[in-house]
Amino acid sequence: MSRYQPLADFLAAKKTDEWNATFSDIEARLGFPLPKSAYTYPAWWANQVGSGHSQTRGWRSVGWRTTALDLERRRVRFEREGNAVAANASTGRDDRSTEELLARARELTGMSDRETLIQEALRVLIAREAGMRLVRLGGTMPDFRAPSRERPFA
């Protein structure tokens, strides 16, 4: 039995199709603290298919996936797999299926391999989010002041 089985059992028994949880909520269900990697790396919360991390196998085995991860606020939303399209429609998000999005990406990029497309999309997303986080933090040189653009007359 996986050490993440208590979380899987809790999700399997839920009557609703989503659960907005704090990391503390999850730790309470598990009965032990999450590893430091859960607090640091988004990949810990990834919805891998196939052999992967035991925590992922736990929620995936009962038909749930993680969404809306917020490491700074230590929150994550779990959604029942079959509820994804309805959730997207209710929030106004793009409700095209993954296959439709992949087909459009293949058309625009010329890349045909699914895994390559997904990796490239994730690279771009990570770069964008990292840039936005740097902007919110004030960049890497918060005390930097741009030099005056005025030129002295000779």
Side-chain angles (χ1 to χ4, degrees):
M1 178 168 118
S2 164
R3 64 187 300 211
Y4 295 97
Q5 191 61 45
L7 176 61
D9 294 342
F10 170 77
L11 290 169
K14 284 200 65 65
K15 302 294 183 210
T16 60
D17 289 335
E18 72 176 44
W19 181 45
N20 291 300
T22 65
F23 291 6
S24 296
D25 295 335
I26 296 166
E27 290 171 336
R29 299 289 174 203
L30 292 172
F32 60 86
L34 290 168
K36 288 184 181 186
S37 56
Y39 287 85
T40 310
Y41 302 108
W44 195 91
W45 299 96
N47 295 299
Q48 296 170 306
V49 177
S51 64
H53 301 289
S54 58
Q55 73 275 9
T56 305
R57 282 193 307 272
W59 63 71
R60 299 284 302 209
S61 70
V62 292
W64 288 74
R65 66 187 182 115
T66 56
T67 64
L69 173 64
D70 186 341
L71 288 178
E72 290 178 14
R73 291 190 177 98
R74 298 179 174 184
R75 300 186 65 79
V76 65
R77 179 171 49 236
F78 289 88
E79 291 180 358
R80 209 176 290 276
E81 290 279 359
N83 195 41
V85 173
N88 287 347
S90 69
T91 60
R93 295 188 314 218
D94 188 342
D95 62 353
R96 289 183 285 180
S97 72
T98 301
E99 292 308 316
E100 290 173 312
L101 292 170
L102 285 168
R104 179 72 173 135
R106 285 185 184 106
E107 177 185 318
L108 292 171
T109 65
M111 295 178 192
S112 59
D113 180 57
R114 176 188 178 101
E115 190 65 25
T116 302
L117 281 168
I118 292 170
Q119 287 177 356
E120 185 61 24
L122 290 173
R123 271 191 216 86
V124 171
L125 176 65
I126 289 166
R128 184 190 75 191
E129 293 299 318
M132 291 172 63
R133 183 172 288 176
L134 269 178
V135 168
R136 285 192 303 271
L137 291 173
T140 58
M141 299 170 40
D143 297 329
F144 176 78
R145 298 290 177 250
S148 171
R149 295 189 56 126
E150 295 178 20
R151 296 181 188 206
F153 293 102

